[in-house]
Amino acid sequence: MAEMRYTKDHEWVRLEGDIATIGITDHAQNALGDVVFVELPEVGREVTAGEACAVVESVKAASDVYAPIAGRVVEVNGALADDPGTINREPTGEGWFFRLEPKDKAEIAGLMDEAAYHAFVESQA
Amino acid sequence: MAELNETLLETPLAALHRRLGARMVPFAGYAMPVQYPAGIMAEHLHCRASAALFDVSHMGQAELVGEGAAAALEQLTPADVKGLKPGRQRYGLLTTMAGGIFDDFMVANFGDRLFLVVNASRKAEDFALIEAALPAGVRLRRLPDRALLALQGPKAAELLAPMAPDLAGLSFLGVAEASIGGIPALVSRSGYTGEDGFEISIPAGEAERFAEMLLALPGVAPAGLGARDSLRLEAGLCLYGNDIDETTSPVEAGLTWTIGKRRRMDWDFPGAERVREELANGPKRLRVGLRPEGRQPARGHTPIHLPGGEQVGEVTSGGFGPSLNGPMAMGYVAPAQARDGTALELMVRGKPLPARVAPMPFIPHRYAR
């Protein structure tokens, strides 16, 4: 499996071929609590790095999910509509949010690797 | 995660919350558990299925003592306090001269004194207001050295019974002084969840031992402020500062029932003029329940529009109801839109979410009548 990269907003990115899959981290789902609804971007939408393009609603609050990199949305995880709890159970697997065709794949290398992300989370605790 | 400010107050159960793995958040100046490791959803459902223990020690507790205590309190509220029988408790509103709601509160008659519970966020203001209104011979005794716990849920009564035989026969909104497992307590059969249950005031020094004793009962689990909020919203109960405040009147809020019959003949409470006018001619807006279509919640401050049209109000509380298994909200709309079933739109992040006015409570109350 391809290496995952992370943002300070607690999203993860996994590049497979020319397509980047994006979701939220285990730390993020744990902080949010039980997810009850997600709003996903439209397929075909062009997003810039840091742009709010999805919303995740837990019992207690709504939170934005940001595009970690620039690109075009090519697919969204429609299964989340019926079972948003997947995000809590498998945040880095079946609980993915959307897929992007990156504008510049090299942008991904500029994000945190797993060790850097863990250090970042620790520093926030 | 925001760091907890060091100036936050703690309840007598702070150490226990941390031991239980609670996530602590600032609330009304206190560090309070928003949830335990089970999570809001599980804590909420457990309360409706069995029994949940809440720490509500941040709330203000006080006693009003002396000849004329009830009459003194009636200067500040439209509730019938003088008619409250010993052993009974009542929900009431403190009203402003302009007819707004200064706070909501519970008052109980323990025979020789009135026992008050007010909101944490308002306790300093409430107690100052009450003290300023007291005649000679009536005294407000603040009780900062008492903890307040709520045991809520359909199993609360049967679980508590073996430890507190004195409480058998206490009906909804009944109060009693009782010894529970050897700890002296002021108990009321009441709560903020729509379920049967008890609110129990005990000396702060006994709070941790008492809470651990209850948590050791089979079927009792701790629940935090997150579940408390989703439970009270399903029960259609107001949260002060969200659903009612100094701008909302008792009539607009649908809380006219808290005004005593005698008080409605004498009109001798703060804001009586506005209440009387609104009862005669109708209020400008009304608090209603709302059910959004689908599963997307609409939160507080979401604008409420006519379908495809102008704004007619605002959501004051909104979220996802775990027992309802769907989103729910309450808010204010013009009386023309207040009828059950009225189609409206909630503007969530600029997009219209279809919703209908719905009766409250969203989940039926199950009080021990």
Side-chain angles (χ1 to χ4, degrees):
Chain A
M1 192 177 281
E3 189 201 4
M4 285 170 71
R5 293 277 170 163
Y6 303 87
T7 72
K8 289 188 173 178
D9 298 311
H10 307 284
E11 289 99 10
W12 56 261
V13 189
R14 188 168 53 224
L15 184 70
E16 283 150 310
D18 289 330
I19 302 298
T21 302
I22 285 130
I24 64 169
T25 65
D26 185 58
H27 173 81
Q29 72 75 21
N30 185 45
L32 286 168
D34 304 299
V35 175
V36 295
F37 180 81
V38 280
E39 186 179 305
L40 297 167
E42 275 179 37
V43 171
R45 175 170 159 188
E46 300 278 349
V47 297
T48 57
E51 185 178 331
C53 59
V55 178
V56 57
E57 301 250 14
S58 68
V59 177
K60 67 172 186 272
S63 308
D64 284 314
V65 176
Y66 303 94
I69 53 167
R72 188 170 60 87
V73 177
V74 294
E75 192 183 349
V76 299
N77 188 356
L80 296 180
D82 291 330
D83 189 7
T86 311
I87 294 162
N88 295 114
R89 293 191 304 272
E90 299 179 67
T92 57
E94 291 299 308
W96 63 277
F97 277 55
F98 55 92
R99 295 197 164 115
L100 285 180
E101 191 172 60
K103 201 168 174 188
D104 175 10
K105 281 196 267 188
E107 233 188 316
I108 297 171
L111 300 174
M112 288 180 278
D113 63 15
E114 191 166 346
Y117 176 68
H118 280 302
F120 171 72
V121 169
E122 288 299 312
S123 75
Q124 302 285 297
Chain B
M1 297 282 98
E3 204 148 310
L4 287 185
N5 190 318
E6 279 174 25
T7 62
L8 285 176
L9 300 167
E10 290 190 334
T11 76
L13 294 181
L16 176 63
H17 296 316
R18 294 201 162 87
R19 242 183 1 259
L20 292 169
R23 183 173 303 157
M24 306 298 281
V25 298
F27 182 84
Y30 284 79
M32 296 298 292
V34 64
Q35 64 166 82
Y36 298 87
I40 295 173
M41 191 89 83
E43 292 165 23
H44 175 119
L45 295 172
H46 187 84
C47 178
R48 293 247 186 269
S50 182
L53 184 68
F54 301 83
D55 178 15
V56 289
S57 303
H58 57 313
M59 298 191 79
Q61 301 180 64
E63 289 174 341
L64 212 46
V65 290
E67 196 75 34
L73 188 58
E74 283 197 357
Q75 297 173 83
L76 304 171
T77 173
D80 180 1
V81 186
K82 287 197 265 185
L84 182 64
K85 293 188 172 68
R88 300 299 299 168
Q89 187 182 41
R90 177 166 287 169
Y91 173 74
L93 305 173
L94 298 174
T95 46
T96 68
M97 292 309 289
I101 300 173
F102 193 83
D103 197 6
D104 59 350
F105 66 98
M106 299 296 289
V107 55
N109 184 350
F110 277 96
D112 58 346
R113 65 204 192 277
L114 296 176
F115 174 68
L116 299 171
V117 178
V118 304
N119 283 298
S121 61
R122 298 295 277 175
K123 63 184 173 186
E125 291 87 345
D126 290 350
F127 292 160
L129 183 82
I130 292 167
E131 247 167 5
L134 297 182
V138 180
R139 201 157 62 83
L140 182 79
R141 199 153 59 203
R142 291 174 174 78
L143 301 170
D145 53 353
R146 293 187 76 86
L148 190 65
L149 279 83
L151 184 68
Q152 299 280 297
K155 299 214 172 123
E158 69 185 62
L159 287 169
L160 210 52
M163 294 162 64
D166 307 357
L167 296 179
L170 205 62
S171 66
F172 182 59
L173 296 181
V175 297
E177 294 188 63
S179 165
I180 305 180
I183 295 168
L186 299 176
V187 186
S188 84
R189 194 147 192 180
S190 66
Y192 195 44
T193 61
E195 296 297 328
D196 185 20
F198 301 88
E199 289 197 350
I200 306 164
S201 170
I202 48 169
E206 306 275 21
E208 188 168 317
R209 184 163 73 89
F210 183 77
E212 286 187 316
M213 191 164 73
L214 294 185
L215 288 170
L217 298 172
V220 177
L225 290 184
R228 185 168 158 82
D229 191 54
S230 53
L231 287 158
R232 71 88 194 170
L233 187 51
E234 281 186 345
L237 302 171
C238 291
L239 172 61
Y240 191 85
N242 283 37
D243 310 305
I244 48 175
D245 58 29
E246 290 194 32
T247 71
T248 56
S249 76
V251 183
E252 291 175 339
L255 299 173
T256 311
W257 60 270
T258 68
I259 304 175
K261 207 170 171 188
R262 169 174 49 84
R263 311 304 308 278
R264 253 209 253 186
M265 297 194 320
D266 296 345
W267 304 106
D268 58 345
F269 53 87
E273 206 172 310
R274 177 175 173 188
V275 168
R276 194 174 187 173
E277 196 277 325
E278 288 182 352
L279 284 175
N281 302 317
K284 290 189 180 61
R285 54 181 179 166
L286 279 169
R287 182 172 64 93
V288 294
L290 296 160
R291 292 288 315 268
E293 263 178 30
R295 294 185 64 84
Q296 179 170 20
R299 312 285 174 178
H301 304 297
T302 300
I304 305 172
H305 285 247
L306 294 175
E310 62 176 305
Q311 184 174 352
V312 291
E314 195 177 89
V315 170
T316 50
S317 285
F320 190 88
S323 302
L324 194 62
N325 191 28
M328 61 185 167
M330 61 170 90
Y332 285 85
V333 295
Q337 279 81 50
R339 205 175 324 113
D340 287 341
T342 304
L344 295 168
E345 282 175 355
L346 311 178
M347 297 302 280
V348 179
R349 294 178 289 274
K351 277 184 281 187
L353 171 64
R356 283 189 188 275
V357 174
M360 291 190 285
F362 298 107
I363 296 289
H365 295 160
R366 296 194 291 180
Y367 301 135
R369 298 278 181 188

